[in-house]
């Protein structure tokens, strides 16, 4: 199979590219290596993926640049896995125009290119943030998602709607994946587990938002990659399919518990600087993965403490 991965130099994307390369697939990565965080991190991610062997081509192109993107799409692509996005809830409140432009208009341009090049297999990375402050837990794909509480969440919901539109109009086989707080080696440096680890290691205070009871469904990167790979297979076998899938661990960990797990693994106490809750942050994420288990055979297995230990082992090997 020949797969195009947008955002393939990022945390999830580079692991996914590595997995496809190991499976013998040809991988084309589209990534603009922007400065949302240090581009050197993304170049290192690409080098890590290359060690899997196989045929890998990287196009350093913005997903909004339709004219140059045609170079990548002309490679007889079998399936597009669209991970590229401006990520993060809090920055989206400060830069809503940019988030809309990249996440919505960028997705639209990719879909139009798929239509132009007759690529009818498409996987879209959505987010658990679309559930907002859903009072029913765990979150099911059939729950209403009409009340996003951040521009980021709104753009992801808009992306799901665009995907359904192209499925309906043009018969695309589509899957939208609602990721639940992914962590593990290569995690973005702006995300909580990475940030907490760095600050505890350096003996610096941690901005600690809320009272510590907010909880997340932390999902280890290997479980996520297994789920995305199963989704890609499901899409390739389809004939006019469209589904939304939760990809989570279906277990929750509070902010207090997360900090304690990192302290335990590092053997060092955190210095907490408690602050009010941040606008746009939800109180809980919790995935109902019944559908993903039934249709995909998705079965996450990573224990949180073990996953944290693996992340910290990677962090130390990077010189952290």
């Amino acid at each position: 199979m020949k797969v195009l991965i947008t955002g393939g130099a990022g945390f999830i994307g580079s692991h996914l590219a590595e997995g496809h390369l190991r499976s013998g697939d040809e991988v084309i990565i589209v990534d603009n290596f922007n400065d949302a965080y240090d581009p050197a991190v993304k170049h290192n991610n690409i080098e890590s993926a290359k060690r899997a062997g196989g045929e890998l081509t990287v196009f350093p192109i913005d997903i909004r640049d339709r004219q140059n993107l045609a170079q990548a799409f002309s490679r007889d692509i079998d399936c597009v896995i669209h991970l590229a996005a401006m990520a993060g809830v809090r920055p989206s409140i400060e830069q809503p125009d940019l988030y809309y432009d990249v996440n919505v208009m960028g997705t639209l341009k990719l879909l139009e290119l798929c239509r132009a090049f007759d690529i009818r297999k498409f996987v879209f990375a959505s987010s658990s943030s679309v559930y907002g402050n859903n009072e029913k837990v765990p979150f099911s794909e059939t729950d209403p998602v009409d009340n996003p509480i951040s521009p980021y969440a709104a753009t992801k919901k808009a992306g799901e709607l665009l995907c359904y539109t192209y499925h309906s109009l043009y018969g695309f086989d589509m899957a939208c994946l609602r990721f639940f707080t992914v962590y593990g080696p290569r995690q973005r440096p702006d995300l909580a587990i990475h940030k907490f680890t760095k600050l505890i290691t350096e003996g610096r205070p941690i901005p600690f938002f809320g009272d510590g009871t907010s909880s997340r469904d932390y999902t280890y990167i290997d479980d996520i990659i297994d789920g995305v790979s199963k989704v890609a297979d499901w899409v390739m076998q389809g004939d006019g399919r469209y589904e939304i899938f939760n990809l989570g661990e279906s277990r929750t960990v509070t902010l207090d518990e997360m900090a304690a797990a990192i302290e335990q693994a590092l053997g060092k106490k955190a210095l907490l600087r408690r602050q009010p809750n941040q606008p746009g942050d939800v109180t809980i994420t919790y995935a109902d993965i019944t559908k993903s288990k039934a249709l995909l055979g998705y079965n996450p297995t990573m224990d949180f403490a073990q996953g944290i230990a693996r992340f910290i082992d990677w962090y130390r090997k990077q010189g952290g």
Side-chain angles (χ1 to χ4, degrees):
M1 181 167 74
K2 192 180 291 187
V3 58
L4 187 152
I5 302 173
T6 71
F11 166 39
I12 299 174
S14 62
H15 280 283
L16 184 64
E18 188 176 336
H20 278 281
L21 289 168
R22 285 206 181 102
S23 297
D25 295 333
E26 182 179 343
V27 175
I28 295 97
I29 284 176
V30 169
D31 198 300
N32 68 349
F33 296 89
N34 67 25
D35 61 358
Y37 57 94
D38 187 355
V41 173
K42 301 170 190 178
H43 287 287
N44 287 338
N45 290 344
I46 292 289
E47 293 306 310
S48 295
K50 283 180 178 178
R51 288 196 282 271
E55 188 170 350
L56 172 64
T57 307
V58 180
F59 289 90
I61 300 172
D62 193 299
I63 60 170
R64 295 167 292 177
D65 184 356
R66 181 172 174 177
Q67 182 175 352
N68 284 319
L69 271 177
Q71 302 172 51
F73 276 77
S74 64
R75 302 286 295 271
D76 297 322
I77 305 299
D78 295 306
C79 180
V80 172
I81 303 178
H82 175 31
L83 305 176
M86 291 302 298
V89 166
R90 295 169 195 162
S92 77
I93 297 172
E94 299 168 3
Q95 298 177 290
D97 291 357
L98 176 62
Y99 273 67
Y100 181 87
D101 191 31
V102 174
N103 296 0
V104 181
M105 294 306 299
T107 298
L108 179 60
K109 290 181 180 182
L110 290 171
L111 290 167
E112 275 293 282
L113 279 164
C114 284
R115 185 168 71 91
F117 284 91
D118 197 30
I119 303 166
R120 303 300 165 121
K121 311 293 185 180
F122 197 92
V123 178
F124 171 66
S126 186
S127 166
S128 62
S129 66
V130 301
Y131 289 108
N133 274 319
N134 195 4
E135 294 182 1
K136 171 188 159 292
V137 293
F139 303 163
S140 169
E141 294 91 343
T142 57
D143 293 342
V145 288
D146 299 324
N147 299 292
I149 62 172
S150 70
Y152 173 68
T155 64
K156 286 301 184 180
K157 172 62 177 173
E160 292 182 0
L161 293 173
L162 282 172
C163 287
Y164 184 81
T165 301
Y166 275 71
H167 157 74
S168 178
L169 287 175
Y170 308 116
F172 281 29
D173 288 295
M174 289 280 192
C176 298
L177 309 182
R178 293 176 178 169
F179 292 144
F180 283 72
T181 316
V182 189
Y183 74 105
R186 300 183 210 160
Q187 189 190 45
R188 293 198 334 254
D190 59 302
L191 293 178
I193 288 173
H194 197 143
K195 186 186 296 184
F196 279 32
T197 298
K198 177 178 172 61
L199 293 174
I200 293 171
T201 300
E202 296 174 355
R204 295 161 58 196
I206 296 171
F208 195 83
F209 298 104
D211 62 3
T213 61
S214 62
S215 59
R216 297 289 180 267
D217 190 340
Y218 290 103
T219 315
Y220 192 70
I221 184 64
D222 290 0
D223 289 328
I224 284 289
I225 297 308
D226 178 65
V228 178
S229 298
K230 283 179 165 61
V231 166
D233 291 341
W234 180 89
V235 164
M236 290 301 298
Q237 295 165 13
D239 184 14
R241 294 174 164 183
Y242 175 89
E243 292 288 351
I244 295 171
F245 294 103
N246 285 339
L247 292 186
E249 210 74 15
S250 202
R251 287 173 285 184
T252 60
V253 177
T254 68
L255 186 59
D256 279 337
E257 290 168 338
M258 183 267 280
I262 297 174
E263 289 176 328
Q264 177 70 25
L266 288 173
K268 189 173 183 179
K269 292 294 290 182
L271 303 173
L272 303 181
R273 180 176 292 163
R274 295 189 179 271
Q275 300 182 26
N277 284 319
Q278 291 289 285
D281 278 354
V282 299
T283 57
I284 185 171
T285 64
Y286 185 3
D288 181 340
I289 57 174
T290 304
K291 179 179 178 181
S292 297
K293 284 186 171 182
L295 295 186
L296 304 173
Y298 174 66
N299 186 34
T301 59
M302 180 58 70
D303 172 75
F304 183 67
Q306 183 181 0
I308 289 292
R310 289 190 182 186
F311 168 77
I312 288 173
D313 181 59
W314 167 83
Y315 179 83
R316 285 170 166 161
K317 287 177 180 176
Q318 305 310 301

